[in-house]
């Protein structure tokens, strides 16, 4: 139920990844995240995929997310 967290100080402290009024990545205890990736040349672009195959993308470092793909 915590959702995605971020650290801006090398892991010393952590806070919810939502910033600037963003909606954050939806947390679903029945479909946890399987992987999180950062675009190699655009560090504010993040991708997350759930265990069920739902793919999410953020263009603002995790502040807001949009679902890119979901299995039928």
């Amino acid at each position: 139920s915590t959702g995605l967290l971020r650290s801006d100080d090398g892991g010393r402290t952590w806070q919810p990844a939502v910033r600037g009024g963003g909606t954050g990545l939806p947390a679903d205890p029945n479909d946890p995240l399987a992987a999180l990736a950062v675009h190699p040349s655009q560090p504010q672009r993040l991708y997350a995929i759930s265990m069920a195959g739902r793919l999410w993308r953020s263009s603002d470092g995790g502040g807001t997310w949009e679902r890119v793909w979901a299995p039928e």
Side-chain angles (χ1 to χ4, degrees), residues 1-4 25-34 49-52 54 56 67:
S1 65
T2 302
L4 186 63
L25 183 62
D28 183 348
N30 297 314
D31 186 19
L33 290 183
I49 192 163
S50 72
M51 294 296 285
R54 290 177 180 85
W56 299 85
R67 189 165 65 186

